[in-house]
Every structure is written in C-alpha cells, then in structure tokens.
C-alpha cells in the first residue's frame, strides 16, 4: 500500500465532497412546506390580447408576479411557445423573464406577437388523411440554478409538445394551380367541428371584414386567404399563393427575406416578421405548393 | 520468500532476483506494451458495447450489426458527441499506457500522471464545446410520449457547470500522482539499488568465470 497515494486520494475526495456539499446546501430551500412555497403566481396575474397590424398579428401581454422561497436566483428563465413541426416552426410567443429573484417576488411584464397568418396557413397544411387538422404546439421553458463559482450546475430546458386537434371532418374540394403566375391553390372545408381557436380566429377575421385578405411582398409574391361560409355551418378556407413570371411565391419569399426578417404588406400597411418565423412561413407555403401538386 | 514448505528460506534466490512487487517500481518496456494492448482491447469492447446499447435504446432489441449501423444514434455518427468523445479519448488512453513504462515512484510516472489529468481537461473542453455547451438528451431517442397527444420533444442540459465542476475534480486529481510519487520514492530507490547490485554481482561473476 502506498501511503502517499492514499493521503492524496483522501484529500481529493474531501475537496470534491466539500465543493459539492457547499453548492447543494446553498441552493436547497429549508423553509418549504408546499409547492406554493417554491413557486407561486400572484392573484393579479393577467393575460391580455389585442389585434395589431390590421388584424394580421395579435399582441399578447402578460402581467403579474411570481413569488418564490428558493434561496438562490433562478437565472436565464425563458418561456417559448412554438407552433408547427420541426422545420416549419413559427414562434408564437416568447418571454425572456430573466431572473426570478431569490426569496422575493418578481414582477413579470412580457409581451409577444402571435401571427394570425401562420395559424390560418396551418389550417390548410395540417390536414391529414382522416380529415383532421392537427397543430403541434410546443412549449419550451428553461432555467439555470445552483450557482457555483460563476456557473450553474443545473441548466435545464424542456420542450413539451402537444398535438392539438383543431378541426375534424375536413375535406379538400379544390387543389391545383390557382390564379396568377406560377401559383398554387388549396381550399379546405371544415364541417363546423373546428376548435374554439380556429372558430375564434375565423370569426374575428370575418367580423372585422377581413374574410378576404392578401399578403404581398415588395418583389411580387402574393398570398391570398379567403374565408367563406359554405352553408350548413361549414366554413371554407381557400389559400392562393401566386408568384411572378417563372418564379413561384416560394422563390420570391425567399428572395425577400432580409437582415431584419421578412416584410409583408397587408392593406397598404407593412409589417415585419422575424427571420425564424419567415423561414417557417416559407416552409408552409412550400407545403401548400406540394399539397396542391404544383412544383414550387 | 520461498513458499515451498520442504525448502528452507532461500536467501540467495531472494537476493539475486527482483520480486514482482519490486519490479513495479522499476521501468519496464514489457509492461508498457502489455498496457497498450490491454487498453486498446478494453477500448474496443467499450465502443462495441456502447453501439449495442445505443442500438438497443433506439430499437428495443439487440439487433445484428448491420441493423445497428443503419439506425445508429446521431451521437455515435462521426461528428456526434459520443463519437467525438470516444475518438478523442484514444490519445488519453495511449498516453496513460505509455506512462506505464515508468515505474511507480519515478519522475516519469508522476509527470505522465499529471499530463493525463490535463489531457482529460482538454478533452472535456473539446467535447463539451463541440456539443455547443448544451446537449439535447432526446436527440437520439426521439420524443417521449407522456400522455395522449402530449410528448416531451427535447430535454436540453447545459454543460457549462458540469465542465467547470469536472475540471475542478481533474485538477484535484493531480494530487494523486504526486502523492504516489512521494509515497513510493523510497521503494523505487531501494528497488533500483537492488537491481544495480544484482547487475554488478552478475558482472563480477562473469568476470571471475
């Protein structure tokens, strides 16, 4: 037996145990009796929505406060909500909460923009062979905890996906080339068993007189969405994407994405969507072309 | 010491041969080559075992190798974190095998032990930076269903904290080869002196004959 080695090994174990113990002890709460003590939301917590950009976007504002009895700050806290499968994922809500203060109440004021056009476009893309429209909704959240000499030993992020069935009994009476150059058109009819979300969005657009709207880009792509009453409680959504000359709407949209994102024009008003959302939107339009059987 | 009960303690044999224990404290090329061969065999076994385990996690059954190669997890493909980790670890294994040339209690053994700790720290940094400091644990397995229509799509673990924590442990571990050196210094000197005296004696016997 080598005494020197044994002493060194004991010293290493002691140092590691000491560092681990101090880090854990500093982070574990001592006066916790229920989940509310770890994390509770104040009663004045509210979520407000308002329509902006001429109905093309919805602004969601969250106000409230979170109280915690954790002995250390929760850092880098974020909540993201995405819609769509990987590859055509649209961010519909993002909240960078930052720090939730230790043993304190943290006020949260977060707002995000929910793009209506993307939800409408998904209504057409998401139809499966059984006539259901399912929209994958992904909630991501993450945080860092247990500070240890400037880094965090716990750094977790979780993506929870829920496949929301927003409508059933959907048929696709029309698909193929639409109106305009290099165009594609798809029309679906929902037999009335749509979820409140789709019903609500469709209804609010119809009520606002926006049952027929066109998004255009500066280089000539246009995407027209038309909501029609098909009688018998059925609603129809028709999407027509048109390009210019030989170029399809997909090519033009790709060309139109700039440094800041993609600028779309609706009813004479410009609004810009982020690069990530633009990529998801372009992917949706590509799917539209494929569904219609037109080469994008 | 002679273990043969019929034979008395053979002082001459004891004096003229190095015992197993004493050889540990002396440099040996044979030990180094043996270590390299065994370490590489062990390394290959671990690599294969990991491929089989990954294949099992993915498909739920231990398939034949062609099947595993087709469905292999993204982590085990070239550029994947496990692949980088395993390939990057080979030089460390070879380094420690080469270090076995030196006997316990020599400067060479201690220095190789210290270098090995730093090599592991370097490896840790390269592997974790290669994974952009964050690992999605569900990348290879896909989604995990937790209820009707609900699944966990990603579980991201930040590795910055782990990197620093493991670096500290490896830095502490430098104490071990140093402690070993200090504890074995005397035995190394004794074994070396014995070896020299044996050689001298043999030379003398040869000269006399």
């Amino acid at each position: 037996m080598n005494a020197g080695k044994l002493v060194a090994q004991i010293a290493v174990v002691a140092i590691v145990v000491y560092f681990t113990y101090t880090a854990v002890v500093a982070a574990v709460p001592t006066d916790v009796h229920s989940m509310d003590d770890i994390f509770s939301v104040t009663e004045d917590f509210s979520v407000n929505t308002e329509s902006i950009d001429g109905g093309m976007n919805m602004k969601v504002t969250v106000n409230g406060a979170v109280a915690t009895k954790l002995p250390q700050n929760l850092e880098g806290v974020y909540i993201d909500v995405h819609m769509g499968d990987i590859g055509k994922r649209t961010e519909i809500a993002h909240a960078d909460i930052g720090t939730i203060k230790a043993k304190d109440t943290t006020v949260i004021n977060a707002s995000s923009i929910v793009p209506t056009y993307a939800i409408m476009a998904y209504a057409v893309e998401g139809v499966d062979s059984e006539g259901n429209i399912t929209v994958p909704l992904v909630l991501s959240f993450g945080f860092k905890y247990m500070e240890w000499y400037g880094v965090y030993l716990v750094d977790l992020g979780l993506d929870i996906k829920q496949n929301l069935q927003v409508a059933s009994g959907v048929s696709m009476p029309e698909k193929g080339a639409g109106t305009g150059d290099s165009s594609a058109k798809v029309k679906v009819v929902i037999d009335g068993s749509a979820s409140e979300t789709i019903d609500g969005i469709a209804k609010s657009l119809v009520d606002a007189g926006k049952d027929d709207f066109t998004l255009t880009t500066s280089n000539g792509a246009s995407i027209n969405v038309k909501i029609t009453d098909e009688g018998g409680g059925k609603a129809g959504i028709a999407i027509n994407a048109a390009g210019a000359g030989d170029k399809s709407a997909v090519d033009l949209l790709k060309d139109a994405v700039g440094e800041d994102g993609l600028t779309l024009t609706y009813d004479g008003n410009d609004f810009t969507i982020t690069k990530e959302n633009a990529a998801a939107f372009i992917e949706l339009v590509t799917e539209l072309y494929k569904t219609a059987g037109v080469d994008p | 010491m002679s273990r043969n009960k019929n034979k008395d303690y053979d002082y001459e044999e004891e004096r003229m041969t190095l015992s197993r224990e004493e050889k540990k404290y002396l440099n040996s090329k044979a030990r180094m080559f043996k270590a390299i061969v065994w370490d590489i065999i062990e390394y290959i076994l671990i690599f294969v075992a990991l491929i089989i385990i990954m294949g099992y996690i993915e498909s739920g059954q231990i398939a034949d190798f062609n099947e595993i190669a087709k469905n292999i997890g993204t982590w085990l493909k070239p550029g994947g974190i496990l692949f980088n980790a395993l390939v990057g670890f080979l030089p460390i294994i070879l380094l420690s095998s080469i270090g076995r040339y030196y006997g316990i209690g020599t400067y060479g053994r201690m220095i190789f032990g210290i270098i090995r700790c730093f090599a592991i720290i370097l490896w840790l940094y390269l592997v974790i930076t290669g994974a952009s400091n964050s690992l999605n644990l569900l990348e290879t397995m896909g989604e995990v269903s937790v209820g009707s229509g609900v699944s966990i799509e990603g579980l991201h673990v930040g590795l910055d904290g782990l990197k620093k924590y493991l670096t500290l442990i490896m830095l502490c571990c430098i104490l071990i080869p140093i402690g070993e050196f200090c504890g074995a210094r005397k035995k190394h000197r004794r074994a070396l002196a014995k070896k020299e005296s044996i050689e001298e004696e043999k030379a003398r016997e040869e000269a006399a004959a």
Side-chain angles (χ1 to χ4, degrees), chain B residues 8-22:
Chain B
D8 290 337
Y9 179 71
D10 189 343
Y11 174 74
E12 192 55 25
E13 193 192 310
E14 163 83 12
R15 198 174 60 84
M16 284 304 287
T17 48
L18 288 160
S19 69
R20 236 164 191 274
E21 178 67 20
E22 282 160 340

Side-chain angles (χ1 to χ4, degrees), chain B residues 170-188:
Chain B
M170 284 325 294
L171 283 174
C172 290
C173 282
I174 290 172
L175 287 174
I176 295 174
I178 297 173
E180 190 184 50
F181 172 78
C182 297
R185 194 66 187 148
K186 232 178 185 173
K187 282 182 180 169
H188 162 68

Side-chain angles (χ1 to χ4, degrees), chain A:
Chain A
M1 200 55 229
N2 185 328
K5 191 177 182 181
L6 190 68
V7 170
Q9 280 168 335
I10 292 169
V12 170
V13 171
I15 293 169
V16 171
V17 167
Y18 169 77
F19 277 121
T20 314
Y21 180 78
T22 46
V24 171
V25 160
V28 172
T30 47
D31 53 349
V32 168
H33 306 291
S34 68
M35 271 308 283
D36 278 359
D37 285 343
I38 296 177
F39 223 62
S40 65
V41 174
T42 52
E43 278 177 11
D44 59 344
F45 208 88
S46 68
V47 180
N48 295 308
T49 43
E50 59 174 317
S51 189
I52 58 166
D53 294 325
M56 285 299 102
N57 285 318
M58 272 189 296
K59 191 178 182 185
V60 181
T61 316
V62 178
N63 287 305
V66 174
T68 177
K69 280 189 181 173
L70 290 174
Q72 280 184 355
N73 289 354
L74 277 169
E75 299 282 350
V77 182
Y78 68 86
I79 299 171
D80 279 331
V81 184
H82 287 89
M83 191 179 70
D85 287 312
I86 290 174
K88 46 181 175 180
R89 188 154 281 178
T90 309
E91 181 183 283
I92 58 175
H94 172 73
D96 250 329
I97 294 163
T99 306
I100 291 182
K101 288 187 221 93
K103 292 183 173 175
D104 203 352
T105 302
T106 306
V107 175
I108 295 170
N109 285 310
S111 68
S112 66
I113 309 291
V114 180
T116 319
Y117 60 87
I119 297 173
M120 295 311 294
Y122 220 97
V124 173
E125 317 299 355
V127 184
D128 64 16
S129 56
E130 276 134 39
N132 300 318
I133 296 176
T134 40
V135 177
L137 210 61
V138 180
L139 172 75
S140 307
F141 63 91
F143 62 88
K144 292 174 181 171
Y145 194 61
M146 212 182 270
E147 200 201 342
W148 190 72
Y149 301 98
V151 291
Y152 296 89
L153 292 183
V154 177
D155 180 356
L156 288 175
L158 195 64
D159 304 328
I160 298 172
K161 185 168 109 173
Q162 182 166 24
N163 282 314
L164 282 179
Q165 187 174 322
V166 294
S168 58
V170 181
S171 55
M172 198 178 284
E174 274 181 58
K175 59 179 180 181
T179 44
D181 293 344
S182 308
S183 64
K185 184 184 181 182
V186 168
K187 182 180 177 180
V188 294
V189 174
I190 301 170
D191 74 353
S193 59
S195 77
E196 284 179 14
T197 322
I198 289 285
D199 267 346
I201 292 166
K203 194 173 182 303
S204 66
L205 286 169
V206 172
D207 288 351
K210 297 192 179 75
D211 51 348
D212 184 355
F213 61 84
T214 307
L215 297 170
T216 54
T217 60
S218 54
N219 61 0
S222 79
I223 289 110
N224 174 262
V225 180
K226 197 182 264 182
I227 299 162
T228 49
D229 187 354
E230 300 286 311
K234 292 181 182 178
I237 302 170
I239 301 185
N240 184 81
D246 292 341
K247 284 195 159 184
S248 68
V250 176
D251 296 332
L252 292 171
L253 282 169
K254 277 180 187 162
D255 292 346
V257 179
E259 271 301 303
D260 306 332
L262 174 65
T263 302
L264 295 166
T265 311
Y266 164 70
D267 214 6
N269 298 316
D270 285 351
F271 66 97
T272 304
I273 60 176
T274 64
K275 267 187 175 174
E276 290 73 28
N277 282 355
F281 186 56
I282 291 167
E283 197 55 49
L284 280 172
V285 177
T286 312
E287 282 290 312
L288 176 83
Y289 270 84
K290 283 184 192 155
T291 311
V294 179
D295 189 20

Side-chain angles (χ1 to χ4, degrees), chain B:
Chain B
M1 202 183 295
S2 175
R3 290 194 186 278
N4 190 341
K5 279 182 184 168
N6 300 325
K7 206 178 172 193
D8 290 337
Y9 179 71
D10 189 343
Y11 174 74
E12 192 55 25
E13 193 192 310
E14 163 83 12
R15 198 174 60 84
M16 284 304 287
T17 48
L18 288 160
S19 69
R20 236 164 191 274
E21 178 67 20
E22 282 160 340
K23 278 180 186 161
K24 278 191 200 165
Y25 296 90
L26 295 169
N27 297 356
S28 158
K29 272 183 197 143
R31 186 176 52 219
M32 177 178 80
F33 291 126
K34 224 154 80 184
I36 291 174
V37 170
W38 278 115
D39 283 348
I40 288 176
I41 290 172
E42 194 180 299
Y43 177 81
I44 292 167
L45 284 178
I46 290 173
F47 212 125
V48 171
L50 261 169
I51 289 173
I52 292 173
I53 293 167
M54 296 292 285
Y56 181 75
I57 290 171
E58 260 203 359
S59 63
Q61 56 186 341
I62 296 175
D64 65 283
F65 278 87
N66 287 329
E67 201 59 33
I68 293 166
K70 259 185 266 166
N71 297 319
I72 225 162
T74 43
W75 287 352
L76 256 181
K77 285 184 186 136
I81 181 165
L82 262 180
F83 182 86
N84 287 353
L86 284 168
V87 170
F89 211 75
L90 192 59
I92 295 174
I93 287 172
L94 287 177
L95 199 68
S96 69
S97 309
I98 293 167
R100 302 262 291 181
Y101 166 72
Y102 299 100
I104 303 169
T106 60
Y107 282 104
R109 182 71 160 245
M110 178 178 74
I111 288 162
F112 263 91
I114 295 171
I115 290 173
R116 187 164 153 255
C117 291
F118 281 110
I120 291 175
I121 292 171
L122 181 71
W123 168 81
L124 206 68
Y125 269 73
L126 290 178
V127 167
I128 290 181
T129 315
S132 39
N133 291 332
S134 169
L135 199 59
N136 183 357
L137 293 184
L138 299 181
E139 199 174 31
T140 50
M141 285 176 245
E143 300 169 14
V144 174
S145 180
V146 290
S148 64
V150 183
S151 56
I152 297 174
E153 199 188 54
L155 182 61
H156 307 272
V157 181
L159 300 175
D160 254 353
L162 188 74
K163 186 165 76 177
K164 197 165 176 183
Y165 183 75
L166 292 177
T167 302
L168 178 102
I169 293 179
M170 284 325 294
L171 283 174
C172 290
C173 282
I174 290 172
L175 287 174
I176 295 174
I178 297 173
E180 190 184 50
F181 172 78
C182 297
R185 194 66 187 148
K186 232 178 185 173
K187 282 182 180 169
H188 162 68
R189 283 206 183 118
R190 208 178 286 160
L192 200 63
K194 187 171 172 183
K195 190 185 159 207
E196 277 165 6
S197 84
I198 290 170
E199 277 167 4
E200 268 172 32
E201 194 142 333
K202 276 183 180 164
R204 219 169 11 223
E205 276 171 15
E206 266 172 41

